[in-house]
Amino acid sequence: MSLLKFDRRTFLKASAASVLATGAAAGGARAAGVTIGIVYVGPRDDFGWNQAHAVAAQALKTIPGVTVVEEENVPETDACAKTMESMVNLDNANIILGTSFGYFAPFMIDLSKKYAKVQFRHAAPLWTPALPKNLGSYFGYLNQAHYVDGVAAGLSTKSNKLGFVAAKPIASVLSNINSFLLGARKTNPSATVQVIFTGDWSLPVREAEATNALVDAGADVITCHVDSPKVVIETAEKRGVKTCGHNASQAPLAPKGFITGAEYKWITIYKGYASDLTAGKTLPNMVSGGYEADMVQNTPFGAGASDAARAAATSAIADLKAKKPIYVGPLKDNKGNLVIAKTYDNLDPYLDKMDYLLEGVQGSTT
Amino acid sequence: MNESAFVIVLVALIGGALRVSTPFMFVALGECLTEKSGRVNLGLEGTLVLGAMTGYAISYKSGSPWLGVLAAGCAGSVLGAMHGYICKLPKVNDIAVGIAMMLFGTGVAFFFGKPYIQPSAPRLGSFSLGAWTGNLEITTALQINPLLLVGIVTGLVMAWAFANTKWGLIVRMTGDSAASARAMGVSVDLVRFLCTTAGGFLAGVGGAFLSLYYPGSWNQGLSSGQGLMAVALVIFARWSPIRCIIAALLFGAAGAIGPALQSVGITQGYYFFNAAPYILTLFIMIASADSKRAARDVPGELSITK
């Protein structure tokens, strides 16, 4: 037994040596290419937010010279800092992409100070110029794709009532709901959107209940803004109504009723990071955009989309690429207050602070 | 609220009770059986998640959802048997083991469940109790899965068996006084082992309902604490299988309040309405609190009361 006796000193020496050895080997490899570390809060195949990022990560891997390291199901706690730190130290990541809202403060802020040579980018518009320069934000204006959903949905409804299952009444969710309504109103002026808030990002049973409640109340096109739209789309398909997707492609889940869906196109941003890093350029701190920058897209039309809906949606996409505004003032909220006095550009920061539902949406933010 | 809105909400509440209550019912009945024998198994949340994953995976692999339900029950019994065996060892606290089993069950389910998040498995069917009305809303709301009926029958049989059979008496005696059970020549450990295993089976079947019927897909956030709520429901139901059924139905109906009210245009305060099941539980517990009666109902051997 004495041979197997654990000697702490020998163990420490041996592990220090091996860490140095791997460090040196990987350090040599660093010059050759770019290593990108991506951290997800949920499973990569959730039919939603995480999948949208994972699809882009998969595409990144095909670029020569780019190595991608990923970790999924990382909670928004100290655990994400540990994951990112090990990507920096063990995998020699040049850039860390944190894809969940809660990763930013304090974890990514602290890490960006600790590792000044590594770039940190976070998928929500939280970066401010006061924060470290190797930290930054990126996001897509998904509301533009929801607007296209609305344009198609307006031509797909018979009851003129559209249903929206939403998680929480925060600006990005409200903007998707309002854009969906404006899109629907464009092709169908008598369309209304009924919204049900579930209260959290992932509550499968309540999402199913909300979908059923919307269909019971007469909605015949359902869309959503929750982390994983799988349950909403499948429940709606079971009830025989049409659906528009969110975040990633849910087309396979609704072979009969799927119209189109709002998807991110993260690969545009990720490719930009990879080529800037390879070229040794300084990365931008803030990257954002919608259709005009090729950062969002719509899922290819499903069986639920009529020819008229396809044509209208396609021309709406062309309009957005030409920067035609969605929010054409004056517009009132559903309590009668004038909230949008003039016509705003699609990327206007004023719209990022949205805390109201427009006239035509049945629902409340509180 | 006008009359038609009232009807919509009422129909939604009944529909909610029929759709959502089944997992609560199975877990609560399983826990009721285990606790009647004198042990607390807090691990049923893990059992529920593992049952959901196993049911979905087997249904996908075999093409038969009912085989999935059976497999889910078996996976649940394995976890129950583990709990039962570990708690038999000297100086082991069943609550601590339960928490460990809860983490173990969810961990195993997440680990093996990874490949089954994307594929679509055959689901359980349903039939409607309201088809005779010819009304589409009522027909849809009264869709019932056979497992709900199985749950109700199981509860009734349990209640009858506890009161009228030798087996029921042995379980109750083991739960109320281990010393008397030993004096009667009953193996306390064996009875508790079997009750925990059977309780695990029921909780596993409840999990299969989640993944194979409603909401009907497997993902990692599927249970979101329903197993733990169901364990609490047993205390709420004061260890009566019949009251477990009623509690589960009430809880399911209350869960439908939030979405239903928003769908008829009562949109203010949905956080409050979404909390309705918990508020309701609290109020009924306060209203029905009676120290003497509670003391009579609770199995004397439970470690929380000793």
Side-chain angles (χ1 to χ4, degrees), chain A residues 43 45 47 51 72-73 169 194 196-198 204-206 208-209 212-213 217 230-231 234 238-239 363-366, chain B residues 16 19-20 114 117-118 123 140 213-218 220-222 226 256 259 262-263 267-271 274:
Chain A
D45 39 13
F47 276 107
Q51 182 170 325
E72 53 186 344
N73 288 326
Q194 174 140 33
I196 291 187
F197 289 102
T198 60
V205 174
R206 197 173 292 153
E209 280 296 288
N212 275 314
K230 190 180 179 196
V231 165
E234 284 188 332
K238 240 183 264 172
R239 292 293 302 266
S364 161
T365 54
T366 53
Chain B
R19 286 189 297 255
V20 182
K114 194 82 199 115
I117 296 177
Q118 288 265 337
R123 315 292 158 80
T140 329
Y213 182 65
Y214 197 81
S217 75
W218 157 245
Q220 302 183 345
L222 186 60
Q226 291 182 64
Q262 287 190 65
S263 81
T267 52
Q268 293 277 336
Y270 50 84
Y271 278 108
N274 281 341

